[in-house]
Amino acid sequence: MSSLAVREAPPAAGTTGAIRNRPPLRRRIALVPTLTLVLGAVYTLLPVAWVVVASTKSGSELFSTFTFLPGTGFADNIRQLDAYRDGVYWTWMGNSALYAGLGALLSTCVSALSGYALAIYRFRGREALFNILLAGVLMPPIILAVPQYLLLAKADLTDSYLSVLLPQILSPYGVYLARIYASAAVPTDVVEAGRMDGAGEWRIFTRVALPMMVPGLVTVFLFQFVAVWNNFLLPYIMLSDDEKFPITLGLYTLLEQGSNQPALYTLVITGAFLAVLPLIALFLVIQRFWSLDLLSGAVKS
Amino acid sequence: MTSAARRRPYGVKGAPYGFLIPATILFALFFALPIGYAVYLSFRKVHVSGLGLGSGARKEVWAGVENYTDALTDSELTHGALRVLGYGCIVVPVMLGLALLFALMLDSERVRLAPFTRLAIFLPYAVPGVVAALMWGFLYLPDVSPFYYVLEKLHLPQPDLLDGGPLYLAMSNIAVWGGTGFNMIVIYTSLRSIPAEVYEAARLDGATPLQTALRIKIPMVAPSLVLTFFFSIIATLQVFNEPTTLKPLTNSLPLTWSPLMTVYQDAFRKGDIYQAAAEAVIIAVVTLVMSFGFLRAANRRQKQEATR
């Protein structure tokens, strides 16, 4: 199991012998790979660093001082953001947490059920069903979102929390991952043994299979959480009441208004900075559970 | 499954269907039905009789393939497709090239700072496309950007990054920034699963690290390269968030920059849902044809390699 967390393979036997004759510098550190990676990290961290610095600047400092010079307005920016339309920013953050958290949870449940069924049972129409579900991955979001909007409008459900939540519960990719993981992690003997003991199918699933599938389901949850948190198109189409906006849509509308009043730019920047914090924190905390083996396993099969 | 299912054998037979009920209902409601409705709408249009006044004056009628011919001759959609093609030709090779490079570097021996740099390069995956476009958008603005500051100090020309040719580079950069880390992890994970004996053999043969990378590692991770290539192309075709977010920062970005933006404009700004549906169907068909064509070609290659 290799995850994002460090778990380097032990050096193969013979490594030390092979490099013993090389100059000492090369034994200690491989310069080219290290430098390449550091450059890559500088590139990815650059805009984040800029946002961190820029969020400390007051409106006038933003356009006048050197960009990487910290400003004096951080507390003030937070206060302004907090005051903006009675703290609607925090509502956006809460909405995003709700859409992503609840959406990913429901999505994981549906994926677990479907993935388990598709992996363990042999039944008529299994492959057909799986392929139809998978074809959903290839569907451009726009061909779904526009008619979804029109249909939900007929049910009077647009501009509601449900209109953003419901269409994102079924994730074809989640079902796919759950199936791959279930077939690798849940041995059929165990299921058979459960049946011998007289346990029902539902009981076998919840008591025996589900615990075995947990590491894979954590991955499904995280994928879906990030997907929903980052989604913009669906809420952009569905919602018009900004009290229901997720953070992506909220920041976008703030930026759009900022093109007429540049004073809002500091709010956008501070808002962007605060918006990336939760996901980065989430990543740092749970990266050890985030098994990407699943992905490469999926690649190999 | 209740106690009845426990005793009777057909409980086992029925169980998978039971487990699949939620997915099936959701699929029917939020995938099949909308797609069917979009296809239906794409063959309809509003017929306006007389001056279009009164309740009976506007009627929905069959349009045949009119919406499709309009969409395909509509310069907005085709120009958008060409723009996205150009954009994709920059994004996909650069992003996957960097992802492969970083993955190989992470996998090389005696590399330092690997855990930190790996996490740093993967980090943009957690940043929403809107926020990424917003951050880079500000970095492209001459008034606040450090790039322009440096260019000014060095008395170098200062190109407008949000116009013309540079706009493609600016837009591509956002996608490359956002996508490289994820693809790197996919490639890296598959590099780590290459058995150690393979490297041992290469070392005994006296292969240099470069030779090992080119002759062994890259061919062995070819399947994951194919997969990342495939997903990158699909994602590129559907670019929407980044150009939409950059739009407020520049006047030279048309509202129909990408095909998805054209669909949005037609559906919600012009209110022509029929035209928009036809365009969405065209985009879906192009995506599907490309996907299957590509997967087929990849499969055929793999079979050829296997028989060799």
Side-chain angles (χ1 to χ4, degrees):
Chain A
M1 293 281 264
S2 84
S3 68
L4 259 184
V6 212
R7 223 166 298 163
E8 301 296 340
T15 312
T16 41
I19 56 173
R20 193 164 289 158
N21 301 333
R22 300 210 180 131
L25 184 74
R26 293 200 53 191
R27 195 193 320 171
R28 257 183 279 124
I29 175 167
L31 213 54
V32 175
T34 308
L35 271 182
T36 313
L37 288 172
V38 167
L39 278 178
V42 168
Y43 166 61
T44 48
L45 293 180
L46 181 83
V48 181
W50 181 83
V51 161
V52 173
V53 176
S55 68
T56 67
K57 296 186 185 207
S58 68
S60 57
E61 284 170 337
L62 182 65
F63 294 100
S64 59
T65 58
F66 173 61
T67 50
F68 275 105
L69 196 73
T72 54
F74 185 63
D76 220 37
N77 288 341
I78 301 272
R79 215 169 299 133
Q80 277 182 36
L81 193 64
D82 182 51
Y84 178 75
R85 309 251 342 261
D86 293 328
V88 74
Y89 180 83
W90 309 112
T91 312
W92 295 338
M93 286 285 249
N95 289 341
S96 267
L98 178 76
Y99 292 132
L102 188 59
L105 190 68
L106 292 171
S107 181
T108 309
C109 294
V110 172
S111 298
L113 277 169
S114 329
Y116 174 76
L118 291 164
I120 301 299
Y121 297 96
R122 305 271 169 276
F123 57 94
R124 273 169 68 107
R126 181 177 72 151
E127 289 311 309
L129 205 63
F130 183 59
N131 287 334
I132 292 172
L133 281 177
L134 262 196
V137 175
L138 302 175
M139 279 300 147
I142 194 91
I143 198 187
L144 298 172
V146 174
Q148 273 168 0
Y149 173 84
L150 299 169
L151 289 167
L152 284 170
K154 291 191 176 178
D156 219 8
L157 272 175
T158 49
D159 200 17
S160 69
Y161 283 101
L162 284 179
S163 67
V164 177
L165 207 52
L166 290 178
Q168 299 189 88
I169 293 177
L170 179 64
S171 153
Y173 196 54
V175 174
Y176 173 70
L177 288 182
R179 180 188 180 173
I180 299 266
Y181 200 82
S183 58
V186 184
T188 30
D189 314 0
V190 176
V191 177
E192 279 303 322
R195 281 183 196 140
M196 291 297 194
D197 293 344
E201 297 301 311
W202 178 250
R203 204 180 153 81
I204 294 174
F205 171 67
T206 51
R207 295 292 163 82
V208 182
L210 211 52
M212 291 173 164
M213 289 170 67
V214 163
L217 294 179
V218 170
T219 306
V220 172
F221 178 86
L222 289 176
F223 267 120
Q224 194 60 13
F225 188 93
V226 173
V228 179
W229 185 281
N230 292 357
N231 196 347
F232 172 70
L233 182 68
L234 189 71
Y236 185 55
I237 287 179
M238 291 292 177
L239 302 176
S240 54
D241 172 12
D242 69 357
E243 291 281 323
K244 301 192 184 83
F245 282 4
I247 192 72
T248 45
L249 189 50
L251 282 175
Y252 169 76
T253 49
L254 208 55
L255 180 72
E256 213 179 19
Q257 288 165 26
S259 57
N260 303 322
Q261 355 165 202
L264 283 177
Y265 278 171
T266 47
L267 287 195
V268 178
I269 290 166
T270 313
F273 166 58
L274 293 180
V276 284
L277 278 187
L279 273 197
I280 291 176
L282 185 77
F283 260 65
L284 291 177
V285 174
I286 51 182
Q287 52 153 322
R288 56 185 67 236
F289 307 114
W290 171 273
S291 155
L292 285 155
D293 268 9
L294 196 51
L295 254 181
S296 68
V299 170
K300 267 184 276 168
S301 66
Chain B
M1 304 302 111
T2 54
S3 57
R6 215 182 284 171
R7 267 172 257 120
R8 286 181 217 157
Y10 67 74
V12 178
K13 279 199 169 170
Y17 299 106
F19 285 137
L20 284 162
I21 285 175
T24 313
I25 292 177
L26 286 167
F27 186 85
L29 283 179
F30 295 104
F31 284 81
L33 189 62
I35 292 169
Y37 191 50
V39 173
Y40 168 77
L41 284 178
S42 71
F43 292 107
R44 307 283 286 176
K45 68 175 176 186
V46 162
H47 181 76
V48 183
S49 54
L51 289 169
L53 304 170
S55 59
R58 294 174 63 85
K59 237 182 12 199
E60 207 186 278
V61 294
W62 285 103
V65 292
E66 198 179 299
N67 291 325
Y68 286 91
T69 48
D70 279 358
L72 289 172
T73 50
D74 176 348
S75 59
E76 302 283 356
L77 189 72
T78 42
H79 282 171
L82 286 176
R83 277 189 285 260
V84 165
L85 193 69
Y87 160 85
C89 284
I90 307 172
V91 173
V92 176
V94 173
M95 179 170 72
L96 294 185
L98 281 177
L100 177 63
L101 178 73
F102 291 145
L104 287 170
M105 295 296 141
L106 279 176
D107 195 50
S108 57
E109 282 166 18
R110 303 184 308 282
V111 63
R112 289 291 169 89
L113 296 170
F116 166 72
T117 50
R118 180 172 40 178
L119 196 60
I121 297 170
F122 185 62
L123 182 98
Y125 174 69
V127 177
V130 170
V131 175
L134 201 148
M135 292 195 295
W136 281 107
F138 279 112
L139 287 173
Y140 297 151
L141 278 186
D143 286 343
V144 294
S145 169
F147 305 137
Y148 285 96
Y149 184 86
V150 172
L151 289 176
E152 196 184 307
K153 288 286 169 228
L154 296 174
H155 300 288
L156 287 170
Q158 302 171 23
D160 185 354
L161 282 173
L162 291 171
D163 196 7
L167 179 63
Y168 283 87
L169 295 177
M171 198 89 80
S172 306
N173 176 52
I174 300 173
V176 169
W177 182 81
T180 300
F182 183 78
N183 291 305
M184 172 191 79
I185 293 290
V186 175
I187 298 168
Y188 176 66
T189 324
S190 91
L191 271 175
R192 303 235 39 113
S193 63
I194 298 176
E197 301 88 67
V198 177
Y199 295 136
E200 195 101 7
R203 211 173 279 121
L204 288 176
D205 288 345
T208 65
L210 185 67
Q211 283 172 327
T212 316
L214 290 179
R215 303 269 178 80
I216 299 175
K217 292 183 178 181
I218 293 180
M220 289 198 80
V221 297
S224 65
L225 285 176
V226 168
L227 191 90
T228 50
F229 184 75
F230 176 66
F231 279 115
S232 306
I233 290 196
I234 294 187
T236 305
L237 282 175
Q238 289 158 21
V239 61
F240 178 84
N241 300 355
E242 290 83 359
T244 307
T245 312
L246 282 186
K247 178 75 194 88
L249 293 173
T250 171
N251 286 326
S252 44
L253 217 163
L255 279 166
T256 52
W257 191 83
S258 82
L260 255 61
M261 290 168 81
T262 307
V263 178
Y264 181 85
Q265 285 300 318
D266 283 346
F268 298 108
R269 293 286 178 266
K270 292 185 192 156
D272 190 350
I273 53 171
Y274 312 98
Q275 183 67 42
E279 289 161 0
V281 171
I282 291 172
I283 295 170
V285 168
V286 170
T287 312
L288 285 178
V289 166
M290 280 180 65
S291 307
F292 284 119
F294 178 75
L295 285 181
R296 247 187 157 178
N299 272 339
R300 204 178 301 141
R301 261 253 10 239
Q302 270 181 348
K303 272 187 199 131
Q304 277 174 1
E305 306 245 306
T307 52
R308 208 179 280 162

Short mmCIF file of all heavy atoms in Angstrom, two decimals, chain A residues 274-293:
data_model
loop_
_atom_site.label_atom_id
_atom_site.label_comp_id
_atom_site.label_asym_id
_atom_site.label_seq_id
_atom_site.Cartn_x
_atom_site.Cartn_y
_atom_site.Cartn_z
N LEU A 274 -8.96 32.25 2.47
CA LEU A 274 -9.69 31.49 3.50
C LEU A 274 -10.36 30.25 2.90
O LEU A 274 -10.55 29.25 3.59
CB LEU A 274 -10.73 32.38 4.18
CG LEU A 274 -10.17 33.52 5.03
CD1 LEU A 274 -11.31 34.32 5.64
CD2 LEU A 274 -9.26 32.99 6.13
N ALA A 275 -10.71 30.32 1.61
CA ALA A 275 -11.43 29.20 1.00
C ALA A 275 -10.52 28.01 0.74
O ALA A 275 -10.98 26.88 0.73
CB ALA A 275 -12.08 29.65 -0.31
N VAL A 276 -9.23 28.26 0.50
CA VAL A 276 -8.36 27.11 0.26
C VAL A 276 -7.88 26.48 1.57
O VAL A 276 -7.50 25.33 1.59
CB VAL A 276 -7.12 27.42 -0.63
CG1 VAL A 276 -7.53 27.52 -2.06
CG2 VAL A 276 -6.38 28.63 -0.19
N LEU A 277 -7.93 27.24 2.65
CA LEU A 277 -7.44 26.71 3.92
C LEU A 277 -8.10 25.39 4.35
O LEU A 277 -7.40 24.44 4.66
CB LEU A 277 -7.60 27.75 5.04
CG LEU A 277 -6.51 28.82 5.12
CD1 LEU A 277 -6.71 29.66 6.36
CD2 LEU A 277 -5.13 28.18 5.14
N PRO A 278 -9.44 25.31 4.36
CA PRO A 278 -10.04 24.08 4.89
C PRO A 278 -9.63 22.83 4.11
O PRO A 278 -9.32 21.80 4.69
CB PRO A 278 -11.55 24.31 4.75
CG PRO A 278 -11.74 25.70 4.38
CD PRO A 278 -10.45 26.29 3.98
N LEU A 279 -9.58 22.97 2.77
CA LEU A 279 -9.24 21.78 1.97
C LEU A 279 -7.78 21.38 2.17
O LEU A 279 -7.46 20.20 2.24
CB LEU A 279 -9.52 22.03 0.50
CG LEU A 279 -10.94 21.73 0.05
CD1 LEU A 279 -11.00 21.59 -1.45
CD2 LEU A 279 -11.46 20.45 0.69
N ILE A 280 -6.90 22.38 2.28
CA ILE A 280 -5.50 22.06 2.51
C ILE A 280 -5.34 21.39 3.87
O ILE A 280 -4.64 20.38 4.01
CB ILE A 280 -4.62 23.33 2.40
CG1 ILE A 280 -4.60 23.80 0.95
CG2 ILE A 280 -3.20 23.05 2.89
CD1 ILE A 280 -3.86 25.09 0.72
N ALA A 281 -6.03 21.92 4.87
CA ALA A 281 -5.98 21.31 6.21
C ALA A 281 -6.50 19.88 6.15
O ALA A 281 -5.88 18.96 6.69
CB ALA A 281 -6.81 22.14 7.19
N LEU A 282 -7.62 19.71 5.45
CA LEU A 282 -8.21 18.38 5.30
C LEU A 282 -7.19 17.42 4.70
O LEU A 282 -7.03 16.28 5.15
CB LEU A 282 -9.44 18.47 4.41
CG LEU A 282 -10.26 17.21 4.23
CD1 LEU A 282 -11.11 16.94 5.44
CD2 LEU A 282 -11.15 17.30 3.01
N PHE A 283 -6.49 17.90 3.69
CA PHE A 283 -5.51 17.05 3.01
C PHE A 283 -4.37 16.66 3.93
O PHE A 283 -3.95 15.52 3.95
CB PHE A 283 -4.96 17.79 1.80
CG PHE A 283 -5.60 17.35 0.55
CD1 PHE A 283 -6.94 17.58 0.35
CD2 PHE A 283 -4.88 16.68 -0.42
CE1 PHE A 283 -7.55 17.15 -0.79
CE2 PHE A 283 -5.49 16.25 -1.55
CZ PHE A 283 -6.82 16.49 -1.75
N LEU A 284 -3.85 17.65 4.67
CA LEU A 284 -2.71 17.37 5.53
C LEU A 284 -3.09 16.37 6.61
O LEU A 284 -2.32 15.49 6.96
CB LEU A 284 -2.20 18.66 6.16
CG LEU A 284 -1.54 19.62 5.17
CD1 LEU A 284 -1.14 20.91 5.86
CD2 LEU A 284 -0.33 18.97 4.52
N VAL A 285 -4.32 16.48 7.11
CA VAL A 285 -4.73 15.61 8.20
C VAL A 285 -4.96 14.18 7.71
O VAL A 285 -4.52 13.22 8.32
CB VAL A 285 -5.99 16.15 8.89
CG1 VAL A 285 -6.51 15.17 9.93
CG2 VAL A 285 -5.68 17.49 9.55
N ILE A 286 -5.65 14.06 6.58
CA ILE A 286 -6.06 12.71 6.22
C ILE A 286 -5.25 12.08 5.10
O ILE A 286 -5.58 11.02 4.64
CB ILE A 286 -7.55 12.66 5.81
CG1 ILE A 286 -7.82 13.72 4.80
CG2 ILE A 286 -8.44 12.75 7.02
CD1 ILE A 286 -9.25 13.75 4.41
N GLN A 287 -4.16 12.72 4.70
CA GLN A 287 -3.42 12.16 3.57
C GLN A 287 -2.95 10.73 3.83
O GLN A 287 -2.80 9.95 2.90
CB GLN A 287 -2.23 13.05 3.21
CG GLN A 287 -1.35 13.38 4.37
CD GLN A 287 0.06 13.66 3.95
OE1 GLN A 287 0.57 13.02 3.06
NE2 GLN A 287 0.68 14.62 4.58
N ARG A 288 -2.75 10.39 5.09
CA ARG A 288 -2.28 9.03 5.37
C ARG A 288 -3.35 7.97 5.09
O ARG A 288 -3.05 6.81 4.89
CB ARG A 288 -1.77 8.93 6.79
CG ARG A 288 -2.80 9.33 7.82
CD ARG A 288 -2.19 9.33 9.21
NE ARG A 288 -1.17 10.35 9.38
CZ ARG A 288 0.07 10.09 9.78
NH1 ARG A 288 0.44 8.84 9.99
NH2 ARG A 288 0.94 11.05 9.95
N PHE A 289 -4.63 8.40 5.11
CA PHE A 289 -5.70 7.43 4.82
C PHE A 289 -6.05 7.38 3.34
O PHE A 289 -6.83 6.58 2.90
CB PHE A 289 -6.98 7.79 5.58
CG PHE A 289 -6.77 7.96 7.04
CD1 PHE A 289 -6.93 9.19 7.63
CD2 PHE A 289 -6.39 6.87 7.82
CE1 PHE A 289 -6.73 9.35 8.98
CE2 PHE A 289 -6.19 7.03 9.17
CZ PHE A 289 -6.35 8.28 9.76
N TRP A 290 -5.51 8.30 2.61
CA TRP A 290 -5.92 8.52 1.22
C TRP A 290 -5.13 7.56 0.35
O TRP A 290 -4.03 7.87 -0.09
CB TRP A 290 -5.65 9.99 0.92
CG TRP A 290 -5.78 10.46 -0.46
CD1 TRP A 290 -4.82 10.44 -1.42
CD2 TRP A 290 -6.90 11.10 -1.06
NE1 TRP A 290 -5.27 11.02 -2.56
CE2 TRP A 290 -6.55 11.43 -2.36
CE3 TRP A 290 -8.18 11.43 -0.60
CZ2 TRP A 290 -7.43 12.07 -3.22
CZ3 TRP A 290 -9.02 12.07 -1.47
CH2 TRP A 290 -8.66 12.38 -2.75
N SER A 291 -5.69 6.41 0.11
CA SER A 291 -4.94 5.41 -0.62
C SER A 291 -5.13 5.57 -2.11
O SER A 291 -6.23 5.43 -2.63
CB SER A 291 -5.41 4.03 -0.20
OG SER A 291 -5.16 3.12 -1.22
N LEU A 292 -4.05 5.88 -2.79
CA LEU A 292 -4.17 6.05 -4.24
C LEU A 292 -3.77 4.78 -4.97
O LEU A 292 -3.75 4.74 -6.19
CB LEU A 292 -3.33 7.24 -4.71
CG LEU A 292 -4.03 8.56 -4.34
CD1 LEU A 292 -3.05 9.68 -4.22
CD2 LEU A 292 -5.09 8.91 -5.36
N ASP A 293 -3.47 3.74 -4.19
CA ASP A 293 -3.26 2.42 -4.79
C ASP A 293 -4.42 2.04 -5.67
O ASP A 293 -4.28 1.45 -6.72
CB ASP A 293 -3.22 1.37 -3.68
CG ASP A 293 -1.82 1.15 -3.22
OD1 ASP A 293 -0.97 1.93 -3.64
OD2 ASP A 293 -1.60 0.20 -2.46
#
